[in-house]
């Protein structure tokens, strides 16, 4: 548990802090916008959601879900339940049944918010179910099918009840939010099934730097949108999207190379001797074979 906490800290926080700095500089340059010191301080901890302080930027909301997932997995591990065969299945099924029923019977925004957290966490445990089926061999595809179906019903019902057709001043609609949850599960299943046959080095590279892409690409989008415009036609939009994609990958690769990767390596120093041995043995054996 100690090693896990250390690895997560050095995996998440240094790159996140870099994103904060880049974001603050970006908004100062683009909009001359200054944020309250208290809000910045709370965001530095990554715990702002839990103390009811707004995220500096909306896309940071997923980090709170990630932290809750880590805490939940740590508790399950301490209880000896994390690696039990049906733990994740039970969580997803229970969350879907309770969440769907509650969404249909209770019209309360606070309750809906709690159910939305449950939906997000069940999505992550659904990922574990798929992994345990493809890699671990502990579960069957029938488990994946049932859990995915219940999860999809939960997502569709909650999105309809919580957002009621309109969300964020008509920009998003409930059906698009529901479809995003469902499509995410289907895409994950698709790559889990066909991943080996669809192996493609550029896509794997984007997967490696994906955390940096998540943190940095929104600011690339802001810069390009404000400074460059190619028109509203198909050609203009194609150039616009290509430029965003290329620069996002470039900036994210730089963040991964110069911040994320060195931070992860630095964090290895603080992990237990047993864990270091487990990490080093494959490296040393590979070096020995090469020599």
């Amino acid at each position: 548990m100690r090693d896990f906490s250390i690895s997560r800290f050095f995996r998440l926080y240094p790159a996140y802090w870099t994103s904060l700095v880049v974001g603050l500089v970006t908004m100062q340059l683009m909009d001359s916008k200054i944020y309250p010191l208290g809000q910045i301080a709370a965001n530095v901890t990554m715990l702002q959601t839990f103390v009811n302080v707004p995220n500096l930027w909306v896309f940071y909301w997923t980090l709170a879900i990630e932290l809750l997932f880590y805490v939940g997995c740590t508790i399950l591990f301490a209880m000896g339940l994390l690696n039990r065969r049906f733990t994740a299945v039970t969580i997803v099924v229970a969350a879907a049944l309770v969440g769907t029923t509650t969404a249909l019977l209770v019209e309360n925004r606070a309750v809906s918010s709690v159910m939305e957290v449950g939906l997000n966490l069940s999505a992550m445990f659904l990922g574990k179910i798929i992994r345990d089926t493809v890699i671990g061999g502990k579960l069957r595809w029938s488990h994946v099918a049932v859990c995915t179906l219940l999860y999809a019903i939960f997502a569709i019902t909650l999105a309809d009840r919580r957002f009621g057709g309109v969300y964020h001043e008509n920009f998003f609609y409930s059906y698009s939010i529901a479809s995003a949850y469902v499509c995410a599960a289907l895409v994950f299943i698709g790559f889990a099934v066909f991943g080996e046959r669809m192996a493609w080095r550029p896509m794997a590279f984007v997967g490696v730097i994906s955390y940096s892409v998540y943190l940095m690409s929104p600011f690339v989008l802001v810069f390009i949108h404000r400074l460059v415009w190619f028109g509203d036609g198909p050609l203009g939009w194609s150039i616009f999207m290509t430029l965003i994609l290329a620069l996002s990958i470039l900036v994210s690769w730089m963040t991964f190379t110069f911040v994320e990767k060195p931070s992860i390596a630095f964090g290895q120093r603080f992990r237990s001797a047993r864990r270091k041995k487990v990490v080093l043995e494959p490296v040393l054996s590979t070096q020995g074979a090469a020599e």
Side-chain angles (χ1 to χ4, degrees), residues 59-72:
F59 65 92
Y60 283 168
W61 74 268
T62 63
L63 294 170
I65 301 300
E66 187 168 355
L67 292 177
L68 283 174
F69 179 68
Y70 292 151
V71 171

Side-chain angles (χ1 to χ4, degrees), residues 16 57 75 89 134 240 266 268 282:
Y16 170 70
W57 298 284
I75 294 172
V89 172
V134 175
F240 179 66
F266 181 75
Q268 294 283 356

Side-chain angles (χ1 to χ4, degrees), residues 16-270:
Y16 170 70
W17 290 331
T18 303
S19 172
L20 283 177
V21 173
V22 171
L24 290 171
V25 171
T26 298
M27 299 313 294
Q28 173 63 29
L29 292 176
M30 296 291 102
D31 293 331
S32 299
K33 189 170 183 178
I34 300 176
Y35 294 86
L37 185 59
Q39 185 182 6
I40 295 174
N43 275 256
V44 167
T45 67
M46 205 187 286
L47 303 174
Q48 61 271 15
T49 300
F50 305 108
V51 294
N52 201 31
V53 174
N55 292 303
L56 282 173
W57 298 284
V58 65
F59 65 92
Y60 283 168
W61 74 268
T62 63
L63 294 170
I65 301 300
E66 187 168 355
L67 292 177
L68 283 174
F69 179 68
Y70 292 151
V71 171
C73 286
T74 301
I75 294 172
L76 290 172
F77 176 79
M79 296 172 63
L81 297 174
L82 184 61
N83 293 318
R84 293 277 184 91
R85 186 183 181 193
F86 290 111
T87 296
V89 172
T90 302
I91 291 172
V92 172
V93 170
L97 294 177
V98 173
T100 303
T101 304
T102 303
L104 289 172
L105 299 179
V106 180
E107 293 187 13
N108 182 283
R109 192 160 186 82
V111 174
S112 295
S113 297
V114 173
M115 292 301 101
E116 188 176 10
V117 173
L119 174 63
N120 292 324
L121 290 174
S122 66
M124 303 185 84
F125 279 105
L126 179 61
K128 175 171 168 48
I129 293 171
I130 298 168
R131 180 195 183 281
D132 287 346
T133 301
V134 175
I135 298 176
K138 294 191 295 183
L139 296 173
R140 298 178 180 178
W141 283 109
S142 58
H143 299 123
V144 174
V146 170
C147 290
T148 302
L149 176 62
L150 292 174
Y151 158 84
I153 294 172
F154 181 15
I156 293 169
T157 305
L158 182 63
D160 178 66
R161 294 290 175 153
R162 176 160 168 70
F163 304 117
V166 180
Y167 181 51
H168 279 190
E169 299 178 353
N170 297 331
F171 186 73
F172 290 117
Y173 291 86
S174 60
Y175 65 81
S176 64
I177 296 173
S179 64
Y181 278 99
V182 175
C183 288
L186 296 179
V187 167
F188 196 88
I189 292 172
F191 276 97
V193 175
F194 302 107
E196 293 296 329
R197 281 173 276 179
M198 296 171 60
W200 188 40
R201 191 177 296 273
M203 188 175 293
F205 168 73
V206 174
V208 170
I209 65 171
S210 59
Y211 183 51
S212 289
V213 171
Y214 158 77
L215 291 172
M216 306 306 295
S217 59
F219 306 121
V220 173
L221 176 60
V222 169
F223 264 105
I224 296 177
H225 184 261
R226 297 293 182 86
L227 300 179
V228 184
W229 187 246
F230 300 99
D232 290 322
L235 179 60
W237 275 104
S238 298
I239 297 173
F240 179 66
M241 293 303 298
T242 300
L243 186 60
I244 289 174
L245 179 62
L247 288 182
S248 293
I249 291 176
L250 175 61
V251 172
S252 301
W253 170 79
M254 293 174 63
T255 306
F256 174 79
T257 301
F258 298 110
V259 178
E260 195 176 340
K261 191 174 180 180
S263 299
I264 294 172
F266 181 75
Q268 294 283 356
R269 303 181 184 183
F270 303 98

